[in-house]
Amino acid sequence: IELLLKEDMDVYLVGPIYSSCLKPENMHFFSNTADAKSYFSKNRIKDKTILIKGSRGLKLESLVELL
């Protein structure tokens, strides 16, 4: 997380483990994949490179269709 703070990018983190992290303006936190899906269905990301990284338990691949 600390390395991401040094970069000029928006960061989206999914999972309860991130709830205790710092919350700068460029970071968005979601407790679960359903919350992230809801956000991305209303807030489309355009003209950006996206890295999806997570455990299989979170099923983040379900976000791909929204990105």
Side-chain angles (χ1 to χ4, degrees):
I1 301 290
E2 290 79 20
L3 291 174
L4 295 173
L5 292 172
K6 297 177 184 177
E7 299 296 325
D8 181 27
M9 66 175 79
D10 290 331
V11 177
Y12 302 87
L13 301 169
V14 180
I17 193 169
Y18 298 112
S19 64
S20 63
C21 293
L22 296 172
K23 294 178 173 60
E25 286 186 32
N26 69 326
M27 289 193 170
H28 308 270
F29 296 87
F30 306 99
S31 297
N32 54 56
T33 305
D35 290 347
K37 285 178 88 169
S38 176
Y39 175 85
F40 289 121
S41 69
K42 297 172 189 158
N43 300 280
R44 299 291 179 156
I45 296 175
K46 296 180 182 177
D47 302 319
K48 300 279 184 174
T49 299
I50 300 170
L51 167 67
I52 298 176
K53 170 70 177 95
S55 69
R56 280 290 306 121
L58 289 173
K59 299 180 181 173
L60 293 179
E61 69 273 8
S62 66
L63 297 177
V64 172
E65 65 190 41
L66 298 172
L67 305 173

